[in-house]
Amino acid sequence: MAQLSDLEYLKLSKGRKLGYKAGRFFAGIPVAVLNVFRRLGELLKKGVTAIGREIKDIVMTFVNGDWKTKLSYLVMGFGCLARGQILRGLLFLLFEVVFIGYMILSGAYWLSMMPSLGKVGPTEEYNEIFDAYVTKYNDNSFQILLYSVLTIFFIIAFIYTWRVNIRQNKMAEKILASGKKLKSSKEDLRSMVDESFHKTLLALPMTGIIVFTVLPLIFMILVAFTNYDGAHDGYISNLFHWVGLDNFNTLLSWKSANGTQSYAATFGEILSWTLMWAFFATFTNYFLGMFVAMAINKKGIKGKKIWRTILVMTIAIPQFISLLYVSKMFAKDGIVNGALLSLGWINKALPFWEDATWARITVIIINIWIGIPYLMLMATGILMNIPADLYESARIDGANPWQQYTRITLPYMLFITGPYLLTSFIGNINNFNVIFLLTGGAPANPAASSAAGSVGYTDLLITWLFKISTGAESKYYLASVIGILVFVVVSIIALIVYNVLPSIKNEEDFQ
C-alpha cells in the first residue's frame, strides 16, 4: 500500500483513515518478516566471521607467542604460572584437571551412549535367595540423555575457558613488552570486588540461567526426537530411543484414523482457538480496563479509593479458589442457572460448559472480570500523566469527549503500553490457569478422539500439552513437539509485532 502524505491523510474520512492504518499495518507484516530473516542472516554471517577471526587469532598467537604461551595450549594456566600470576594459573589448571578427570571417569561414557540412549533395558533374572525372578534395571535412557547434554555443555565451557587462557597469554605478552607489570593475585582478587564487580555479581545468576533454563530447554527439544512416553520411560518399563522427525510427522500429518480428524487438523483447530482467545482476552481487558480507569478518574466521581479497592479485591483472592468457585456457579445445577430458572427467565439450564460456543464465550467474559483490575491500575497511572493542557486545548477547539479519547487518550495509551499489549497477548496464549480451572478444556471434542490428551473445545495449546504429558499414556515426546511449535508461533508473532510497534520504531516521538 502506497504511503500517503500528511495532507492526503488529513483529507480522508474517519473510516478511510482507520482502513488506511489497518492496511499499512498488514502491509508491513511481510516487510517485518523479511527483516527478521535478513537480521538472522546477518547474525549468522557475523557468527561465521567471528569464528573465523577467533581461529586466525589462535593460530597467530601460537606462531608469534613465546614458549610459555605455546605450552599453555596444552597445559592451561602454565603461562600465567610462569609469569607469576599464580591465582589465574591455578584456576585454569584446576579446571583442566577437573575436565579431563570427568571425561575419563564418566563424560566419555555418557557421550558414547548418547547415540543409542541405552543398550540394555530392564531384564528378568532368577534370584536364588528369593527363589523367584526379579527385575534387574540396567541402562537409564533419561539419565543418559541428561548427562550427555550436561557433558556437551561442559565441553563448550572448557573450549571457552581454553580460549580465555590463550587470550590471557597474548595480553600478558603485550603488557610485558610495553614495560608494564602484570597484575598479582592480590590485585586480581581486589578487582573482583572493584572494577570487575559486575562480573562477580553476574556469575551466579548466569550459571543459574544456564543450568535451570537453557539446559531444560535443550533437553525438552531433544525429547521431541525420541519415543519417550509412559510405555518407554527409559528405565522402569522400557528404554526410549531416537526416532528422528517421526513425532513431527505424526503431529503435522493429515491422515485420520477411524473417521476422526487428524492430528494436524486437531492442532490447527486448537491453535486457531488459542489465537482467538488471546486476542479477545487481551483487548477486551485492555479497553474495558481503560474505560473503568477513565470513569473512576473522572472529576466529580466520589469514593474513588473505594471503587479501586473493590476491583483490586479480585486480584487479592487466589485464582485457584475464585475460578473453581465460578466454575461451579455456572454449572447446570449452579447458582446462575438456578437463579435464572427461579425468576422464570429461562425454561431449562443454559449449557455454559456443555456447549462449545457457550463455553468459549463464558471463559472470555469471566476472564474480563479477572483482568480488568490489572489494566485499571496500570491505566490509572498512565492517564494521570497525560498533560491536562492537551484536553483543555482540545475543548477550546471544540473537540467532543469521543474526539478527545481517539486523538489524545488512546494514541497516548497505545504508544506507552504497546510492549505491554504484546507481552499480554503472548501471556494469554500460555494462559493455563483460567482455562484449566474453569473448564478443564471441556466440552470434549469427539472429532479429535484419536488425538492424545482428551481434547476439548476450550483447550489451549498449553492445556492440551499438559493433558498429553500427564495422562495415562504420558506422551512426553508429543508434548515436547507441541512445546516447540508453540515457541515457534509465539516467536513469529512477537518478532513481527515488535518490529511494527510505533513505540519501538519511533521511540523519540514520545519525547
Side-chain angles (χ1 to χ4, degrees):
M1 176 180 288
Q3 186 172 0
L4 301 178
S5 64
D6 293 339
L7 183 59
E8 291 173 329
Y9 177 76
L10 291 173
K11 291 180 179 179
L12 297 177
S13 63
K14 292 181 179 180
R16 289 186 175 182
K17 286 179 180 179
L18 182 62
Y20 173 74
K21 289 181 178 180
R24 290 292 299 171
F25 174 79
F26 288 108
I29 290 178
V31 177
V33 173
L34 291 175
N35 286 335
V36 169
F37 284 106
R38 180 176 57 81
R39 291 179 182 178
L40 289 175
E42 292 176 355
L43 184 63
L44 180 62
K45 182 180 178 180
K46 289 180 180 179
V48 173
T49 303
I51 292 173
R53 187 167 55 248
E54 288 293 321
I55 294 174
K56 181 180 178 181
D57 186 64
I58 290 171
V59 174
M60 296 307 297
T61 301
F62 182 83
V63 172
N64 300 324
D66 58 17
W67 66 275
K68 299 172 186 177
T69 299
K70 292 178 179 178
L71 194 55
S72 294
Y73 277 68
L74 184 62
V75 182
M76 284 173 52
F78 180 83
C80 295
L81 290 171
R83 296 184 181 96
Q85 294 181 300
I86 306 300
L87 181 60
R88 294 190 187 190
L90 288 177
L91 289 175
F92 281 126
L93 183 60
L94 178 63
F95 189 84
E96 184 175 18
V97 171
V98 171
F99 174 77
I100 293 173
Y102 170 77
M103 292 301 297
I104 293 174
L105 294 176
S106 59
Y109 167 76
W110 297 123
L111 288 179
S112 67
M113 296 294 288
M114 190 176 183
S116 63
L117 296 178
K119 299 177 181 178
V120 182
T123 56
E124 296 288 331
E125 294 186 359
Y126 180 74
N127 189 299
E128 295 181 355
I129 298 176
F130 295 103
D131 190 25
Y133 283 93
V134 296
T135 303
K136 180 184 177 182
Y137 300 104
N138 300 291
D139 294 337
N140 187 332
S141 298
F142 187 92
Q143 194 176 46
I144 290 171
L145 182 58
L146 177 61
Y147 280 96
S148 297
V149 174
L150 280 170
T151 302
I152 293 172
F153 271 75
F154 198 9
I155 292 172
I156 294 172
F158 175 77
I159 294 172
Y160 175 78
T161 307
W162 178 82
R163 177 68 184 106
V164 172
N165 159 66
I166 302 302
R167 193 181 292 117
Q168 288 289 328
N169 279 273
K170 180 181 177 180
M171 291 171 58
E173 284 191 42
K174 288 184 177 180
I175 292 172
L176 291 174
S178 64
K180 298 179 181 179
K181 290 184 179 180
L182 297 174
K183 284 186 177 181
S184 63
S185 298
K186 289 183 179 180
E187 290 173 329
D188 283 336
L189 289 173
R190 192 179 298 112
S191 68
M192 291 177 65
V193 293
D194 193 359
E195 64 265 20
S196 298
F197 188 57
H198 62 287
K199 296 179 182 178
T200 306
L201 286 178
L202 289 174
L204 187 60
M206 282 298 297
T207 303
I209 290 173
I210 292 172
V211 174
F212 298 109
T213 302
V214 178
L215 178 62
L217 283 175
I218 299 297
F219 184 85
M220 183 205 75
I221 292 172
L222 292 176
V223 166
F225 300 93
T226 70
N227 62 340
Y228 181 31
D229 58 14
H232 302 85
D233 63 1
Y235 187 60
I236 302 298
S237 56
N238 292 291
L239 301 177
F240 60 81
H241 303 286
W242 300 109
V243 295
L245 296 174
D246 288 353
N247 299 329
F248 290 88
N249 184 49
T250 298
L251 186 63
L252 301 177
S253 173
W254 288 94
K255 293 182 179 179
S256 59
N258 301 323
T260 58
Q261 66 185 23
S262 63
Y263 260 106
T266 302
F267 177 79
E269 184 176 337
I270 297 176
L271 175 61
S272 60
W273 158 240
T274 299
L275 295 176
M276 190 188 307
W277 150 263
F279 176 84
F280 283 106
T282 299
F283 289 101
T284 53
N285 285 344
Y286 182 78
F287 286 105
L288 291 176
M290 189 194 311
F291 292 147
V292 170
M294 292 170 62
I296 294 176
N297 291 338
K298 191 175 181 180
K299 291 181 180 180
I301 299 295
K302 297 181 179 179
K304 294 182 179 181
K305 292 183 179 179
I306 296 175
W307 290 113
R308 292 187 185 120
T309 302
I310 293 173
L311 287 167
V312 171
M313 286 295 292
T314 59
I315 302 176
I317 301 173
Q319 286 189 3
F320 184 80
I321 297 173
S322 60
L323 289 178
L324 287 177
Y325 179 72
V326 171
S327 175
K328 299 299 181 184
M329 286 177 59
F330 284 87
K332 266 193 172 183
D333 55 351
I335 296 175
V336 175
N337 272 316
L340 294 175
L341 288 169
S342 299
L343 293 170
W345 292 0
I346 57 175
N347 297 322
K348 60 179 181 178
L350 298 176
F352 289 110
W353 305 135
E354 290 74 28
D355 181 79
T357 304
W358 276 89
R360 289 178 173 180
I361 294 174
T362 304
V363 294
I364 290 174
I365 293 174
I366 294 174
N367 186 70
I368 294 173
W369 166 69
I370 297 171
I372 278 182
Y374 292 97
L375 269 299
M376 182 271 297
L377 291 175
M378 183 184 70
T380 298
I382 298 174
L383 291 171
M384 288 181 176
N385 285 299
I386 299 179
D389 297 343
L390 295 176
Y391 293 106
E392 186 65 27
S393 301
R395 281 192 291 268
I396 293 173
D397 291 339
N400 58 40
W402 176 251
Q403 289 173 326
Q404 293 176 37
Y405 172 75
T406 56
R407 299 297 179 87
I408 300 174
T409 307
L410 184 58
Y412 192 95
M413 285 288 298
L414 288 174
F415 194 92
I416 299 297
T417 60
Y420 165 79
L421 276 174
L422 175 59
T423 56
S424 179
F425 184 84
I426 300 304
N428 280 315
I429 288 178
N430 294 311
N431 194 334
F432 178 84
N433 286 353
V434 175
I435 299 298
F436 192 79
L437 294 177
L438 281 178
T439 68
N445 184 353
S449 59
S450 64
S454 302
V455 180
Y457 282 107
T458 58
D459 265 320
L460 305 180
L461 288 173
I462 189 69
T463 58
W464 186 33
L465 186 153
F466 176 78
K467 288 181 177 181
I468 290 173
S469 58
T470 57
E473 297 177 340
S474 298
K475 294 185 176 181
Y476 304 113
Y477 62 86
L478 196 58
S480 182
V481 173
I482 294 173
I484 293 172
L485 295 179
V486 169
F487 171 76
V488 172
V489 171
V490 168
S491 298
I492 292 173
I493 293 174
L495 288 172
I496 292 174
V497 176
Y498 186 82
N499 281 281
V500 298
L501 283 176
S503 50
I504 302 300
K505 294 175 65 177
N506 307 309
E507 187 176 353
E508 66 280 357
D509 289 354
F510 178 70
Q511 302 299 329

